[in-house]
């Protein structure tokens, strides 16, 4: 059950002028410490958008983004597209609750990048998390 005190988002969700994701069902949305939080019971997505302040090439920016991933990372994935590079990995965080290994995701363009982490309580939801990660798009909002 969603929280009626917060906006509901679903389908194509444009979260900046250039970035959107596709949500296959309804989620609540809020802003927390300048990050976008999209959630429903048992599944939470944190989104942060960072500028390319040093005007690095997309490949150099990507290298900077991934240089400090945890050594314990597993299920590492990389997908290159014309306008962006997608990167993800899973990580056990031992949060003291029922969450399974989180999915850390990045979408890197030449201008900026999205850093995201998806937490979920059920291992079967990793498929949903990957589907959402793969839906990241860099395109101008109409």
């Amino acid at each position: 059950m969603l929280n009626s005190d917060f906006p509901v988002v679903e389908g194509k969700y444009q979260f900046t002028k250039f970035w959107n994701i596709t949500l296959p069902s309804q989620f609540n949305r809020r802003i927390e410490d300048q990050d976008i939080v999209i959630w429903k019971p048992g599944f939470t997505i944190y989104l942060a958008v960072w500028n390319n302040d040093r005007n690095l090439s997309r490949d150099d920016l990507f290298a900077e983004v991934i240089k400090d991933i945890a050594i314990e990372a597993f299920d590492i994935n990389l997908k290159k597209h014309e306008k962006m590079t997608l990167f993800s990995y899973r990580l056990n965080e031992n949060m003291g609750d029922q969450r399974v290994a989180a999915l850390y995701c990045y979408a890197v363009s030449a201008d900026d990048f999205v850093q995201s982490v998806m937490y979920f309580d059920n291992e079967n939801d990793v498929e949903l998390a990957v589907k959402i990660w793969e839906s990241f798009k860099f395109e101008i909002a109409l």
Side-chain angles (χ1 to χ4, degrees):
M1 175 176 262
L2 295 179
N3 187 323
S4 61
D5 293 334
F6 293 91
V8 173
V9 293
E10 69 178 312
K12 182 178 177 180
Y13 173 58
Q14 193 81 36
F15 58 94
T16 73
K17 181 179 178 182
F18 297 105
W19 288 104
N20 68 70
I21 56 173
T22 301
L23 301 169
S25 62
Q26 291 187 334
F27 287 78
N28 283 121
R29 180 193 53 82
R30 71 179 186 269
I31 304 297
E32 183 177 297
D33 298 327
Q34 298 182 331
D35 295 336
I36 300 165
V37 182
I38 301 169
W39 84 99
K40 63 181 183 177
F43 197 105
T44 303
I45 305 166
Y46 287 87
L47 298 167
V49 181
W50 303 92
N51 291 325
N52 183 0
D53 295 336
R54 296 185 297 163
N55 294 319
L56 299 173
S57 70
R58 183 174 83 180
D59 289 340
D60 288 344
L61 180 59
F62 175 72
E64 283 290 310
V65 166
I66 68 163
K67 74 178 183 180
D68 293 324
I69 68 167
I71 195 163
E72 301 86 8
F74 65 99
D75 286 349
I76 298 170
N77 288 290
L78 172 67
K79 296 181 182 221
K80 286 194 165 204
H81 300 282
E82 181 182 340
K83 295 181 182 179
M84 66 178 176
T85 301
L86 295 175
F87 179 76
S88 74
Y89 61 91
R90 299 217 33 223
L91 184 65
N92 283 307
E93 294 187 341
N94 196 7
M95 302 290 265
D97 57 19
Q98 61 205 34
R99 290 181 234 178
V100 298
L103 181 69
Y104 280 78
C105 318
Y106 299 87
V108 181
S109 76
D111 298 319
D112 56 11
F113 70 95
V114 178
Q115 178 181 16
S116 178
V117 61
M118 299 185 203
Y119 296 105
F120 36 95
D121 297 345
N122 188 324
E123 187 64 32
N124 292 333
D125 283 336
V126 72
E127 292 177 28
L128 173 61
V130 168
K131 183 177 180 177
I132 293 170
W133 166 66
E134 290 176 336
S135 80
F136 277 79
K137 295 279 187 284
F138 182 80
E139 58 190 4
I140 297 175
L142 300 177

